Amino acid sequence: MQDTLVIIPTFNEKENIERIIRATFSQRKSFDILIVDDSSPDGTAGIVKELQKEYPKSLFLEVRNKKDGLGRAYIHGFKWAIERKYDYIIEMDADFSHNPKDLVRLYEKCVKEGADVSIGSRYSNGVNVVNWPMKRVLLSYFASKYVRFVTGMPFNDTTAGFVCYHRKVLETIQLDKIKFVGYAFQIEMKFKAWKHGFNIQEVSVIFTDRTLGESKMSKTIITEAIFGIIKMRFAGLPKGSKKSKK
């Protein structure tokens, strides 16, 4: 068992799943991987089960019986990781929008530089996004600006989904009280970590849009984020936080 678990939620990722698993295992630091699959009809879980024969001690699979949001899948994985006492837990997408080569950088930001949460940030050093149409780049960039304005969080990429958490953060923020399930889930997690005063730092990364499979983004997810953030902000004022760093 390694000290760090990479959680990859999946739904219909048969084109990407084997490649992302092998790429993660090929890094200079060893990671364990947990795939949380929402009963993908395309056979994603079956591919993972075959790979478990090759990686019996480091590749794990949890199959949920329904698809009810990214946030619920991650919370399932977080609880699994906490039970097994992993020190660090990293969120990563299955579609290579997050580069597995950056996993070590997120980990080292916590281990060597003292961060409780490290964010793979698209916007801490300009705009580092590849293969997105300009409309989507602007939507994402200004969404992060909007969230910063409403919540007061000081870091640049408030909506990022490539994040490393120390276990104590996940144990502190009461996962059962996380309300959002879609795009806003990532914002709520950061907001609660910041509200509790954890040290949150950013690592500049390049985000590359998927080339295989289909995006799970929808208008409903975006609407939840836009209007839910205001409600979240005024449900409880921040008590102060440690300084965020790039």
Side-chain angles (χ1 to χ4, degrees), residues 132-225:
W132 264 7
M134 184 56 64
K135 182 184 294 186
R136 191 169 177 187
V137 172
L138 292 174
L139 174 64
S140 175
Y141 178 77
F142 284 107
S144 279
K145 291 287 189 182
Y146 164 78
V147 172
R148 290 185 66 185
F149 173 76
V150 172
T151 65
M153 288 191 287
F155 27 91
N156 295 285
D157 198 345
T158 56
T159 63
F162 196 19
V163 185
C164 178
Y165 294 96
H166 192 288
R167 185 179 73 241
K168 66 185 177 184
V169 178
L170 301 180
E171 291 173 332
T172 300
I173 63 178
Q174 298 179 292
L175 294 172
D176 287 333
K177 293 187 177 181
I178 296 293
K179 296 179 180 179
F180 296 124
V181 298
Y183 192 60
F185 165 79
Q186 301 292 0
I187 301 167
E188 186 177 5
M189 288 290 295
K190 296 178 187 68
F191 181 75
K192 290 196 170 182
W194 176 65
K195 182 178 175 182
H196 280 284
F198 286 110
N199 182 358
I200 302 173
Q201 301 185 27
E202 296 187 272
V203 176
S204 182
V205 301
I206 296 175
F207 179 97
T208 304
D209 196 20
R210 68 164 64 235
T211 58
L212 297 173
E214 295 182 0
S215 172
K216 312 304 186 294
M217 185 62 69
S218 70
K219 290 182 179 180
T220 301
I221 291 172
I222 294 172
T223 300
E224 176 196 56

Side-chain angles (χ1 to χ4, degrees), residues 45-56:
I47 297 171
V48 177
K49 289 176 182 177
E50 285 298 310
L51 286 170
Q52 284 183 301
K53 298 175 184 178
E54 188 174 344
Y55 305 103

